[in-house]
Amino acid sequence: MSLIEPGSGPGSGPGSGAATPDAAPVLRLVGIRKSFEGTEVLRGIDLTVHRHEIVALIGASGSGKSTLLRTANLLEQIDDGQIFLGDDDISDPRAKADRIRSRIGVVFQHFNLFPHLSVLDNVTLASRAVHRASRVEAERRGLELLDSIGLADKAREFPDRLSGGQQQRAAIVRSIATDPELLLLDEITSALDPELVGEVLDLVRELGRGGTTILMATHEMAFARDVAHRVVFLDKGVVAEAGPPAQLFEHSENPRTREFLARFTA
Amino acid sequence: MSTTGIDARPPSSIELDRRAFRRQQTTRSTLIAIVSTVVFAVAAWIFVINTPGWSRVQQTFLNWDVAVAAFPRVIEGFWLNVRVLIYSVIGVGIVSLVLATVRTLRGPIWFPLRALAAGYTDLFRGIPLIIVLYLVGYGIPGLGVFPRMPAEFWGTIALVTVYSAYVSEVFRAGIEAVHPSQRLAARSLGLSYSQSMRRVILPQAVRKVTPALMNDFVALQKDVGLISVLGAVDAVRAAQIETAAYFNFTPYVVAGLLFFLLALPMIRFTDWYTARVRRREQMGSIV
Ligand SMILES: Nc1ncnc2c1ncn2[C@@H]1O[C@H](COP(=O)(O)OP(=O)(O)O)[C@@H](O)[C@H]1O
Ligand SMILES: [Mg+2]
């Protein structure tokens, strides 16, 4: 696979514990608050994702994981707090939201691909429209990416001709086609048939090995345990616990964490 | 993978028997349909030609000589209708897309524009087209600020004004039918609001509402005939003039036939396309 960019370094492999403390923060959330119609969904979230780090966001449905990811990408306006991407305060209203979003890749649970565009056009759209790459150049890179996930022969097909797993993998390469600094994944396997989950997670694992910085909301506990450097447990809009997977999954002292995890092992 | 092995296998005798029976059934129902249609048509024909006023009606509405004599002028007028139609379609396309887009803008700063667009669509969907034609066709030139324009110009403006109100609602329904995740996906790629609209939302919206748009187009094809009320010498007005000259209504029939012939391909195409879209939707495709 050629997903690994040169110069992205060896990174810290899965299971090597927390990311190195001196690694530069890519995303820094400070005291994030967000309400919907009077209900406070995010109640002061602090969270940092370092370069080459994979952070898994876990928590019950409705705990605010999707909202948190959307605020990080400026798809949702926060009520208080600050968001830093690299050194830039992107929560500043003077920041150029479109430019910032193009520095962050996002994959949602479903309906990611544009049904009226071919798979290749999906992958190349951001390069062409936002980064003003020529069609030839964008397609060369797009085909290379599709080839790396074994979908080169589907490049000219429309998304509805692909399986759910293939669609999500195409969505993932679309999100990294413009080399974003950070990848946000929001339960990207939740809408898939069980037998298709593996291929999608394998691709995420592959990206992580290549050094991509990832913040992912997930219900795949085994995967989070295996791949994430750090796990953040979100409970009712606050970070209830955060730490290396081994600590959270096996040695947690937090009753809420234990109660939540018990539901997955039952 | 080769499928020839399966295709080459001859059907079983039971299947052959079933196919023969189905063919026979098809032939039978086709025959019944043809016979009953012919019987009905002949019966209707016999009834009509035996009505007491038939020969008079035939004389005043279906006079071949009058039709031939009036044809050149009617078709010349009809060409004006076709041109007005083309300009109207372009105008309606632009104005209605702008209106629909404005109506989907979110956020308080857009409120005045949004309200204006909403008021516009309410107003012009509520007023009969013919009244808008009179108001635009006689009112605006009466202001004396615009250079003199032919009647068909103001007729086109009136048609665009009214049809844009309808068509913008169709577009708006289409825009709102596009799943919100599509907008989020587009924005999270870094596309600006207008880029996501142009490259992601509108193409999907237009596909979703194409059957409805084509129906409006068929309606517009007929309504271009109304510009005659402003004195534009289109097919209807030409037919009126010819009718007065010959004391015979056949020119109207000629004009009606021309409108019908223009609309027919679009009507058939609309039905075909609508059926195709429905089939694809049932097969689970999104677009
Ligand atoms: N756009 C919205 N409007 C109103 N309420 C919302 C909106 N988005 C999310 N919520 C509410 O915020 C809470 C957290 O939702 P979400 O972030 O989707 O949680 P999770 O992804 O962890 O399941 C839920 O109670 C949800 O109903
Ligand atoms: Mg969610």
Side-chain angles (χ1 to χ4, degrees):
Chain A
M1 288 221 189
S2 60
L3 291 167
I4 303 171
E5 326 154 18
S8 59
S12 35
S16 69
T20 37
D22 51 303
V26 172
L27 177 73
R28 203 150 56 84
L29 305 175
V30 185
I32 302 298
R33 293 183 175 275
K34 174 70 189 172
S35 308
F36 289 114
E37 291 132 22
T39 318
E40 197 159 46
V41 173
L42 302 178
R43 301 185 293 149
I45 304 271
D46 295 309
L47 173 62
T48 302
V49 183
H50 300 91
R51 195 159 149 74
H52 305 314
E53 196 180 23
I54 301 181
V55 175
L57 201 54
I58 63 171
S61 190
S63 57
K65 303 183 295 295
S66 298
T67 307
L68 187 66
L69 293 179
R70 284 203 306 270
T71 61
N73 196 29
L74 305 184
L75 291 172
E76 204 87 74
Q77 194 180 320
I78 54 174
D79 299 336
D80 205 354
Q82 272 182 299
I83 308 167
F84 295 92
L85 183 65
D87 293 327
D88 306 325
D89 179 357
I90 62 171
S91 46
D92 187 327
R94 278 157 294 200
K96 294 244 181 299
D98 295 333
R99 289 237 58 86
I100 289 156
R101 288 196 200 97
S102 72
R103 291 165 59 188
I104 303 175
V106 185
V107 184
F108 300 104
Q109 191 174 342
H110 51 185
F111 301 124
N112 279 293
L113 296 178
F114 305 128
H116 64 295
L117 297 179
S118 73
V119 173
L120 183 59
D121 284 347
N122 263 280
V123 173
T124 60
L125 178 62
S127 311
R128 290 181 285 122
V130 184
H131 297 263
R132 302 279 164 214
S134 71
R135 181 172 272 275
V136 175
E137 175 55 27
E139 294 201 340
R140 193 193 54 75
R141 168 89 172 128
L143 281 170
E144 204 176 275
L145 282 168
L146 287 172
D147 192 40
S148 72
I149 57 168
L151 288 182
D153 58 325
K154 306 277 188 201
R156 310 284 171 187
E157 301 269 15
F158 285 93
D160 62 356
R161 303 294 302 272
L162 271 58
S163 75
Q166 291 173 331
Q167 289 186 24
Q168 283 303 62
R169 288 190 292 130
I172 292 172
V173 296
R174 182 181 72 181
S175 74
I176 59 165
T178 52
D179 299 317
E181 294 156 45
L182 170 71
L183 189 54
L184 303 175
L185 307 176
D186 190 0
E187 295 193 31
I188 56 171
T189 57
S190 302
L192 293 180
D193 290 338
E195 76 268 23
L196 302 176
V197 170
E199 60 183 83
V200 175
L201 293 183
D202 283 346
L203 176 55
V204 177
R205 196 188 310 261
E206 187 83 23
L207 289 174
R209 284 207 194 103
T212 307
T213 310
I214 301 175
L215 175 60
M216 54 183 295
T218 185
H219 276 138
E220 300 286 337
M221 293 306 153
F223 181 73
R225 189 181 182 329
D226 188 23
V227 172
H229 302 108
R230 218 145 42 83
V231 179
V232 173
F233 172 47
L234 211 59
D235 186 40
K236 301 194 181 72
V238 296
V239 175
E241 188 174 1
Q247 182 203 314
L248 244 95
F249 287 115
E250 275 146 45
H251 309 295
S252 175
E253 302 286 319
N254 187 320
R256 285 189 294 178
T257 310
R258 297 171 71 121
E259 188 202 341
F260 172 72
L261 290 174
R263 281 187 247 156
F264 285 88
T265 48
Chain B
M1 198 171 67
S2 157
T3 53
T4 47
I6 297 165
D7 288 343
R9 190 173 52 82
S12 66
S13 62
I14 295 174
E15 173 60 21
L16 286 174
D17 193 41
R18 285 194 293 238
R19 287 184 196 175
F21 178 71
R22 284 195 203 106
R23 255 197 312 276
Q24 202 184 327
Q25 288 282 302
T26 314
T27 317
R28 235 187 91 197
S29 20
T30 312
L31 274 177
I32 292 173
I34 291 172
V35 168
S36 59
T37 308
V38 168
V39 167
F40 177 80
V42 168
W45 179 249
I46 290 172
F47 172 77
V48 169
I49 61 173
N50 283 314
T51 48
W54 167 244
S55 62
R56 213 172 50 244
V57 168
Q58 189 184 23
Q59 188 52 42
T60 44
F61 283 88
L62 301 170
N63 188 315
W64 179 252
D65 294 333
V66 174
V68 170
F71 186 76
R73 290 202 132 172
V74 174
I75 191 98
E76 195 186 323
F78 189 65
W79 173 233
L80 179 64
N81 290 119
V82 172
R83 278 175 296 160
V84 167
L85 177 66
I86 292 168
Y87 288 123
S88 299
V89 166
I90 296 169
V92 169
I94 295 168
V95 176
S96 59
L97 271 178
V98 170
L99 278 174
T101 310
V102 166
R103 290 202 68 179
T104 54
L105 290 176
R106 295 278 159 260
I109 49 163
W110 298 110
F111 175 78
L113 264 184
R114 215 163 49 218
L116 215 61
Y120 179 95
T121 49
D122 285 353
L123 183 67
F124 287 106
R125 282 188 304 162
I127 305 179
L129 171 59
I130 193 131
I131 290 179
V132 177
L133 271 163
Y134 281 128
L135 293 181
V136 170
Y138 294 126
I140 298 184
L143 294 175
V145 290
F146 297 100
R148 279 191 61 83
M149 286 293 196
E152 54 267 31
F153 173 82
W154 297 114
T156 307
I157 298 289
L159 285 167
V160 170
T161 304
V162 170
Y163 268 82
S164 296
Y166 284 98
V167 173
S168 76
E169 285 301 288
V170 174
F171 277 132
R172 190 165 72 103
I175 290 170
E176 277 165 11
V178 175
H179 198 278
S181 321
Q182 290 285 304
R183 192 182 64 81
L184 289 186
R187 296 311 295 276
S188 59
L189 283 176
L191 269 65
S192 67
Y193 179 86
S194 61
Q195 282 175 326
S196 351
M197 207 64 188
R198 206 176 66 241
R199 289 175 176 267
V200 176
I201 309 297
L202 284 180
Q204 293 184 56
V206 171
R207 278 172 177 77
K208 280 177 196 289
V209 297
T210 302
L213 289 177
M214 291 196 293
N215 274 323
D216 281 340
F217 179 67
V218 170
L220 178 62
Q221 277 183 331
K222 293 176 298 182
D223 282 351
V224 289
L226 288 174
I227 60 167
S228 58
V229 302
L230 298 179
V233 186
D234 72 332
V236 178
R237 183 90 179 109
Q240 193 184 10
I241 294 166
E242 297 299 293
T243 295
Y246 295 100
F247 300 107
N248 189 296
F249 286 106
T250 306
Y252 279 126
V253 176
V254 172
L257 262 174
L258 288 175
F259 277 105
F260 174 71
L261 289 177
L262 178 71
L264 188 62
M266 199 61 198
I267 292 172
R268 303 276 15 118
F269 180 70
T270 307
D271 288 353
W272 172 82
Y273 186 83
T274 310
R276 197 184 77 127
V277 167
R278 195 175 315 122
R279 244 191 344 267
R280 289 201 62 183
E281 264 168 13
Q282 280 161 0
M283 277 163 56
S285 306
I286 305 170
V287 168

